[in-house]
Amino acid sequence: MWVLHALLSHWLRHPVQLGTFMLGLLAATALWSGVQALNQHARASYDQAASRFSSINQAQIVPVNQQPLTESDYIMLRRLGWQLTPVVEGALPNISAGDTLNIIGIEPMTLQHGGVSSAADTGLPSTFSLTRFLTPPWEIWVSPATAEQIKPWFDAAVQTGFPYNPDGNLVNLRVSSSIADNEIITDIYLAQYWLKQPDQLSRLLLLDTNTSKTLPAELSAHLRVVIPQSDYDISRLTASFHLNLTALSMLAFLVGLLMVYSAIHLAMAQRAVLRRILFSCGVSQRALTFWLLIELLLLSGLITLPGLTLGYWIAVLLLPDFSASLTGLYGASALGELTLSWQWWLQGLVIAWGGVLLAAIVPMVKLISGNTSLSQTRSNAQGLDHPALLTGAGSICVLLALGIAWFGESLFSGFLLLALMFISAALLMPATLNACLRLGQRCSRSAVVQWLWADARMQVSHLSVALVALLLALSTSIGVGGMVEGFRNTFTGWLDQRLAAEVYLRIDDEAQAQQVDAWLLQHPDVSALLPSAGIDSQVAGIPVELRGIQLHSTYSEHWPLLSSTPDAWQAMADNAAVMINEQLARQLNLKLGDTLPLSGMQQTDFKISAIFSDYGNPKGQVLLSLATLQRNWADTERGSTALRVEPTAVAELISALTAQFSLNETQVIDQHAVKRYSLQLFERTFAATNALNVLVLLIAAIALFSSLLTLSTMRLRHLAPVWACGLSRRYLVGTELLKLLSLALLTALLAIPLGLLISYCLVAVINVRSFGWALPWQFFPSQWLLLTMAALVSAFLAAIIPVLTLQFTSPSSLLKGFRDEQ
Amino acid sequence: MLHVVGLAKTYLTSQGPLPLFSDVSFDIQPGESVALMGESGCGKSTLLHILAGLEQADHGQVLINQQDLTQLPDRQRAQLRRHYIGVIFQQLNLIPSLSIQDNLAFQARLAGNLDADWLQHLVSTLGLAALLQRYPAQLSGGQQQRVAIGRALLAKTPLLLADEPTGSLDEANAEQVMALMLTLIKETGSSLLMVTHSALLSTQLDRTMILKQGRLS
């Protein structure tokens, strides 16, 4: 225990080192565990959704041809031996603008008897009572957030519709945190009542694994069995999103760990004398190793709990944007309240301890073997420890990265490429800085300038860890920032092109749609009515959507084509060609002029006349003329209709339409509203990324600050001889500041090419492998300038305290410090 | 060369003011070498630092080349030190980031009076020819002190202030370094004030001053 006491006393005498250690570990643990909390929570939600009512992971029977699925159909199929459970779902009508509340009606008896799901799988807790669920006054289950949202409805004066049952009584409100936000789960009978769909069902989930049965002839005309498609697996679709966040949090963890390493390295080096004394007092190497490990575990244990708590709060703060991104991008259910498992806490503890041990292993081995001393650590005038080893390892990483860039094809290899780029940059950066400074020293003539370069080189060896952290943070910001900014530019332009029509109509009821069309054709402000239709199909075994559009100059003038033949639109009008989206082109390696075989059509061969960009669509799409689609396929579903309207008459038309046909705002959509929503979604998608980015930069700035603060006590040894030779203190203060700003500037300059490489890797490799489409690689010099300024400001703030100390400490104190050094 | 009048210094400590010395006055003539002796903690090093302009006195005057060092601002004190004073500490004299060659020439280049022939002579006399491309950390303590002496002498400053320059060396090394220093000082005609604990060393200098109980004798 006395050995531990002696070891711990070091930290009390060096509070800045202790602070660096704790802050680094706190930041590393918090950011890593925060993102992991979000990922874990999202995955749990996907699993829950998949085991429950997911429309995309479950084999099911759905209605087609605008025919309803009725309870009679369900009963017939049950009698024929089909293991099914019915689901009724729909948006709750008459709610305030911007809100969506989905009612999901289930039939728990068949769900349970199906043997596939249990009450817990439906998201309902173990306290769920079948009797209360199925009998008056019935009950509804919602998440805590949704419960808050719908509470006012329980006090409403009008006692009809939701949340009153057909008897006019209020239903019981039950809350469960395992239910997604904006979802109301209730008995199927109540759902039909509130959605005004008596006897109608939305779909039938197939509970047995045998999905090869054929529907009876009398049902096959209006029902279809849909087999889950792996391409629509939410976990797979969202994998890249989670991987992206995990990679960023890993980077933040790494940057935090660099701070920890920096503190431990110095602490171990300064204990060379203590080691000698302990050995001379009879402490064995093994005992010293043991107590050093205990000390590290003790210190990291103290920090892990606050780190995990901070991580939890970061996750809570990011959850709304995170949830909105997943919902908007992939249609994944909105995530409810954050709940964490014991595995998360354990994982956090293990990662924190593992990280500390990883950071400590080399300095600790050096101390125990007596391979280090403070003088060695301080005196490397060549600027670096083991430069050849670092450069060699960095070069190997570069070669590996080149190999992966050439041969790798998977998403994982894309992220590995990114990781290798970071690692090689971290390994090569100190040597590169050193070479730049040496060149500066050689080119200078004045004694003071030569000393400045030489001293900066020496500082690089002490600050290299902090500078590497700054390099990684800056290059990530340049890379990710460039990608996001480029995406924003492209996306905004693409939206303008793609949403060229002023108003979009979506009416599922064919009879009503025809009435609306007739009314619109008579309207003086409507210059064109451009209906569309779609159907799901397959090309070479890959699910695609065939979308037919009525050809019009609106499309030929605005549609965002990446490449096209000269007569692309005319060829489509002549039924000879189709256009495909970039995702499909990349997936099947299709080029302009290739023939696209479309099964199930009378005419099967179409030339590809154009490839268009289709951001955010996870699925392949084939665009053809509406006439061609309808001629070849009878089962098409009416899609949205684009209206060309005199811009000044849009608002008037929308209000007239909604009044005339009782349409709601989900059926009549203003182009501006769609754009606004899309851009909002875009911003929210990158909100978590941007927040992590800023946090990584912040940690890097803190790492630089703490390194400088730690080093400031050792700088006198370097400055005293120069001072004695006739340079004033104010001059030395100026040179200190200049040196640190120069190092930060050099680091920022090195971060720009690295950031551009990262940006290229993101837009041309990761993005393509994640989503199937590429983005143009764009440069944003203003962003580089801003980040360079941020690096300089960080360095200035980090340097200011040590520099002010030098400026304002009395000469006697400085000399006392110098004498203490001696 | 050096005219010191009524110099006094008191340190403020947590136990109250701690007077180090007061009314210290003396002169050093051009070419004269003087030993400053006294018990540990009597203020010898502080006095030397005040004379070098590294520390401020509470009272008194330090006149070098007709300029009162105590009245000059930091920048001008640094200028004066650069041209008129060579300082040699007990250890850690060298700039760790510069090679031995650059360390040797540093002050002379700052003062703008680097004499290449004199540099060659010093390098050869001090036995540093083989060490010029090395760095301070790669040298022994004796070698480092020889470089520090070379740097101070290369600038041809009229006054050398040495704070136990051989204090960290073994006897043989100390004698060798001291002999070299005194020979070269005689060649330059500089004055020397050296803090030392060694009575033997002090006998090699022109005279000895003793700081005792805050007074100089």
Side-chain angles (χ1 to χ4, degrees):
Chain A
M1 278 309 266
W2 286 109
V3 177
L4 183 63
H5 182 257
L7 290 173
L8 288 174
S9 66
H10 171 89
W11 299 105
L12 293 177
R13 283 187 295 113
H14 297 90
V16 175
Q17 266 174 44
L18 182 64
T20 305
F21 175 88
M22 292 190 155
L23 210 58
L25 190 59
L26 188 78
T29 315
L31 286 176
W32 168 261
S33 57
V35 170
Q36 288 316 305
L38 289 172
N39 283 346
Q40 201 178 70
H41 183 61
R43 284 194 194 104
S45 298
Y46 305 151
D47 291 346
Q48 213 172 56
S51 67
R52 208 162 66 210
F53 320 108
S54 169
S55 60
I56 46 186
N57 261 354
Q58 178 92 36
Q60 55 193 307
I61 295 171
V62 295
V64 291
N65 297 335
Q66 286 86 43
Q67 296 292 309
L69 167 63
T70 62
E71 286 182 354
S72 314
D73 298 334
Y74 167 57
I75 291 163
M76 180 190 283
L77 286 167
R78 290 285 295 189
R79 283 179 180 156
L80 289 169
W82 290 67
Q83 292 292 309
L84 303 161
T85 186
V87 175
V88 171
E89 61 193 345
L92 196 64
N94 307 322
I95 60 164
S96 58
D99 289 337
T100 312
L101 280 175
N102 291 319
I103 291 183
I104 299 173
I106 58 168
E107 207 285 282
M109 299 286 283
T110 45
L111 256 180
Q112 289 186 330
H113 291 157
V116 174
S117 306
S118 66
D121 290 333
T122 65
L124 301 174
S126 52
T127 51
F128 160 77
S129 155
L130 202 59
T131 316
R132 284 202 300 270
F133 192 84
L134 293 171
T135 55
W138 292 280
E139 57 187 25
I140 58 171
W141 285 87
V142 294
S143 71
T146 310
E148 284 300 313
Q149 192 185 349
I150 62 173
K151 256 182 191 162
W153 296 36
F154 280 74
D155 305 325
V158 184
Q159 298 187 345
T160 57
F162 179 83
Y164 292 89
N165 65 27
D167 306 333
N169 298 318
L170 273 176
V171 295
N172 290 325
L173 176 64
R174 305 273 177 203
V175 178
S176 164
S177 58
S178 53
I179 291 173
D181 286 345
N182 302 324
E183 270 187 16
I184 298 169
I185 295 173
T186 189
D187 178 49
I188 204 159
Y189 169 66
L190 272 188
Q192 286 173 331
Y193 169 68
W194 285 328
L195 293 171
K196 298 187 174 71
Q197 294 173 355
D199 300 328
Q200 284 189 29
L201 304 171
S202 301
R203 47 204 169 94
L204 301 169
L205 304 185
L206 281 164
L207 298 175
D208 54 8
T209 49
N210 180 12
T211 52
S212 58
K213 286 183 183 173
T214 357
L215 286 168
E218 57 267 47
L219 297 182
S220 62
H222 70 284
L223 298 183
R224 182 178 299 157
V225 178
V226 179
I227 308 300
Q229 292 162 342
S230 59
D231 288 58
Y232 280 82
D233 181 344
I234 281 290
S235 337
R236 212 193 120 197
L237 278 177
T238 54
S240 60
F241 185 76
H242 293 298
L243 202 55
N244 178 27
L245 283 184
T246 303
L248 257 181
S249 68
M250 181 60 103
L251 183 71
F253 183 73
L254 188 72
V255 172
L257 222 53
L258 287 175
M259 276 175 78
V260 174
Y261 169 80
S262 179
I264 293 179
H265 178 69
L266 194 60
M268 295 294 176
Q270 286 175 336
R271 286 164 166 188
V273 176
L274 178 66
R275 167 193 170 273
R276 204 172 55 230
I277 294 167
L278 288 174
F279 281 176
S280 65
C281 290
V283 176
S284 67
Q285 269 195 348
R286 181 173 291 192
L288 181 61
T289 311
F290 172 78
W291 287 113
L292 279 169
L293 284 172
I294 294 291
E295 179 202 28
L296 289 174
L297 289 181
L298 207 66
L299 287 176
S300 50
L302 279 176
I303 293 302
T304 306
L305 196 61
L308 288 173
T309 311
L310 189 60
Y312 174 81
W313 284 112
I314 289 174
V316 168
L317 282 175
L318 293 177
L319 189 63
D321 287 331
F322 183 80
S323 179
S325 304
L326 288 169
T327 311
L329 277 177
Y330 310 105
S333 296
L335 310 174
E337 202 172 298
L338 191 67
T339 49
L340 296 171
S341 62
W342 61 268
Q343 289 99 325
W344 178 79
W345 294 95
L346 187 67
Q347 191 190 48
L349 203 67
V350 168
I351 198 97
W353 278 347
V356 169
L357 287 180
L358 194 71
I361 196 152
V362 174
M364 211 168 84
V365 167
K366 274 186 175 179
L367 175 69
I368 291 162
S369 61
N371 199 18
T372 186
S373 72
L374 194 54
S375 58
Q376 267 183 331
T377 312
R378 287 172 175 184
S379 310
N380 194 342
Q382 275 72 33
L384 287 176
D385 293 329
H386 313 300
L389 187 70
L390 289 178
T391 311
S395 306
I396 290 172
C397 285
V398 169
L399 289 176
L400 280 174
L402 285 173
I404 286 174
W406 192 259
F407 296 109
E409 286 180 351
S410 65
L411 179 62
F412 177 76
S413 69
F415 276 99
L416 193 62
L417 173 65
L418 263 185
L420 281 169
M421 277 163 65
F422 277 123
I423 295 169
S424 47
L427 291 171
L428 292 174
M429 186 259 195
T432 313
L433 263 185
N434 200 32
C436 293
L437 296 171
R438 183 184 293 166
L439 186 70
Q441 191 182 351
R442 280 190 184 160
C443 295
S444 54
R445 290 279 166 267
S446 145
V448 177
V449 178
Q450 273 186 352
W451 166 72
L452 275 175
W453 289 110
D455 197 56
R457 271 178 69 201
M458 184 165 255
Q459 271 186 298
V460 166
S461 74
H462 299 306
L463 291 175
S464 59
V465 172
L467 291 174
V468 164
L470 187 65
L471 176 85
L472 297 187
L474 284 174
S475 54
T476 306
S477 286
I478 290 170
V480 174
M483 186 268 283
V484 173
E485 200 55 40
F487 195 5
R488 184 183 284 116
N489 283 353
T490 312
F491 187 65
T492 311
W494 177 79
L495 271 183
D496 286 341
Q497 291 177 307
R498 189 76 181 250
L499 300 174
E502 287 75 18
V503 179
Y504 291 84
L505 273 181
R506 173 141 210 131
I507 303 170
D508 293 330
D509 184 325
E510 185 58 33
Q512 190 187 24
Q514 283 175 8
Q515 283 175 2
V516 173
D517 285 355
W519 186 85
L520 284 168
L521 286 170
Q522 303 299 318
H523 200 285
D525 292 321
V526 178
S527 57
L529 203 64
L530 306 171
S532 70
I535 192 157
D536 289 335
S537 180
Q538 289 198 337
V539 173
I542 292 172
V544 295
E545 184 201 10
L546 306 181
R547 177 136 299 273
I549 54 170
Q550 183 161 310
L551 295 174
H552 187 264
S553 59
T554 301
Y555 295 115
S556 53
E557 285 167 10
H558 295 100
W559 200 262
L561 301 180
L562 292 171
S563 58
S564 62
T565 56
D567 57 343
W569 291 100
Q570 189 54 50
M572 204 160 107
D574 296 342
N575 302 327
V578 294
M579 297 182 182
I580 59 171
N581 67 359
E582 186 187 0
Q583 289 83 318
L584 187 61
R586 286 185 184 274
Q587 217 167 354
L588 296 179
N589 198 21
L590 295 170
K591 290 180 281 297
L592 290 182
D594 285 354
T595 301
L596 189 73
L598 289 175
S599 56
M601 298 185 75
Q602 293 160 13
Q603 180 188 348
T604 54
D605 288 340
F606 291 89
K607 290 272 183 202
I608 296 168
S609 65
I611 296 169
F612 60 93
S613 53
D614 197 11
Y615 304 119
N617 185 358
K619 200 174 174 183
Q621 194 178 60
V622 179
L623 198 68
L624 61 170
S625 79
L626 184 62
T628 307
L629 183 76
Q630 287 174 336
R631 191 170 52 249
N632 284 279
W633 213 304
D635 287 349
T636 56
E637 290 171 10
R638 176 183 267 264
S640 63
T641 301
L643 304 183
R644 296 314 309 262
V645 183
E646 183 60 39
T648 51
V650 169
E652 197 185 324
L653 177 80
I654 289 175
S655 63
L657 255 176
T658 47
Q660 180 82 19
F661 297 100
S662 302
L663 299 175
N664 61 40
E665 60 185 22
T666 61
Q667 293 175 296
V668 187
I669 306 158
D670 180 0
Q671 173 219 64
H672 297 295
V674 183
K675 282 184 186 168
R676 199 167 47 244
Y677 171 76
S678 303
L679 289 172
Q680 272 172 2
L681 178 64
F682 178 91
E683 296 302 337
R684 296 193 83 172
T685 300
F686 291 105
T689 310
N690 288 337
L692 278 176
N693 229 342
V694 170
L695 285 173
V696 172
L697 257 180
L698 198 66
I699 299 171
I702 294 171
L704 190 62
F705 173 74
S706 55
S707 295
L708 287 173
L709 212 57
T710 309
L711 283 178
S712 65
T713 53
M714 297 159 61
R715 285 294 294 154
L716 272 181
R717 178 178 178 271
H718 297 186
L719 297 178
V722 191
W723 186 32
C725 283
L727 289 180
S728 69
R729 221 145 50 95
R730 180 174 290 184
Y731 191 90
L732 289 177
V733 164
T735 58
E736 281 295 280
L737 206 54
L738 182 70
K739 262 181 287 181
L740 290 168
L741 289 178
S742 306
L743 286 177
L745 182 66
L746 269 174
T747 307
L749 291 178
L750 289 175
I752 292 173
L754 178 63
L756 287 178
L757 274 177
I758 290 167
S759 168
Y760 180 79
C761 189
L762 287 171
V763 300
V765 180
I766 302 284
N767 220 47
V768 173
R769 292 175 195 177
S770 297
F771 304 111
W773 36 265
L775 282 168
W777 189 35
Q778 296 181 358
F779 302 141
F780 300 95
S782 58
Q783 213 175 49
W784 309 342
L785 193 67
L786 204 68
L787 281 165
T788 305
M789 294 303 290
L792 291 178
V793 170
S794 302
F796 180 79
L797 292 176
I800 201 71
I801 291 182
V803 161
L804 286 180
T805 309
L806 186 64
Q807 171 70 32
F808 292 110
T809 307
S810 68
S812 58
S813 301
L814 286 178
L815 284 165
K816 184 176 178 298
F818 183 55
R819 279 198 294 272
D820 289 348
E821 285 279 319
Q822 293 187 71
Chain B
M1 175 63 237
L2 175 67
H3 185 56
V4 178
V5 185
L7 216 54
K9 180 72 181 175
T10 298
Y11 275 133
L12 292 173
T13 67
S14 52
Q15 282 81 39
L18 174 70
L20 269 184
F21 50 79
S22 60
D23 201 22
V24 169
S25 303
F26 64 91
D27 286 317
I28 295 179
Q29 300 306 317
E32 188 182 17
S33 60
V34 180
L36 177 61
M37 297 182 72
E39 291 173 355
S40 293
C42 71
K44 304 184 298 291
S45 292
T46 305
L47 177 59
L48 198 83
H49 291 151
I50 291 173
L51 300 181
L54 296 172
E55 198 162 353
Q56 290 278 33
D58 296 337
H59 300 289
Q61 289 182 313
V62 178
L63 293 164
I64 297 173
N65 195 35
Q66 314 302 323
Q67 292 184 76
D68 185 359
L69 196 67
T70 60
Q71 299 302 312
L72 296 177
D74 181 46
R75 187 162 165 237
Q76 287 179 26
R77 279 206 308 273
Q79 288 277 353
L80 190 77
R81 197 159 57 237
R82 186 183 300 180
H83 293 281
Y84 292 96
I85 306 168
V87 184
I88 305 166
F89 295 110
Q90 185 176 339
Q91 57 176 324
L92 303 177
N93 278 291
L94 305 183
I95 301 165
S97 53
L98 292 181
S99 68
I100 298 307
Q101 183 164 19
D102 291 337
N103 260 291
L104 271 173
F106 190 73
Q107 189 169 355
R109 289 174 69 190
L110 277 186
N113 63 355
L114 180 64
D115 179 340
D117 295 335
W118 179 229
L119 171 65
Q120 280 302 320
H121 177 65
L122 282 175
V123 166
S124 130
T125 311
L126 290 166
L128 299 173
L131 308 176
L132 291 177
Q133 299 311 314
R134 294 198 193 171
Y135 284 85
Q138 297 166 319
L139 266 54
S140 69
Q143 288 170 327
Q144 287 193 25
Q145 287 308 86
R146 277 190 274 153
V147 178
I149 291 165
R151 185 182 66 200
L153 290 170
L154 187 61
K156 292 182 182 168
T157 54
L159 176 63
L160 278 176
L161 299 173
D163 189 358
E164 297 188 64
T166 56
S168 62
L169 305 182
D170 60 60
E171 204 174 323
N173 247 318
E175 273 180 27
Q176 192 194 9
V177 168
M178 201 59 217
L180 277 170
M181 186 165 79
L182 291 177
T183 310
L184 288 166
I185 284 173
K186 279 204 169 67
E187 281 186 45
T188 56
S190 302
S191 309
L192 170 69
L193 175 64
M194 183 171 73
V195 171
T196 181
H197 281 289
S198 165
L200 187 67
L201 276 182
S202 69
T203 58
Q204 298 177 39
L205 307 188
D206 297 337
R207 66 185 165 102
T208 299
M209 297 189 295
I210 296 172
L211 190 60
K212 193 174 181 184
Q213 293 177 336
R215 300 280 171 174
L216 200 62
S217 60

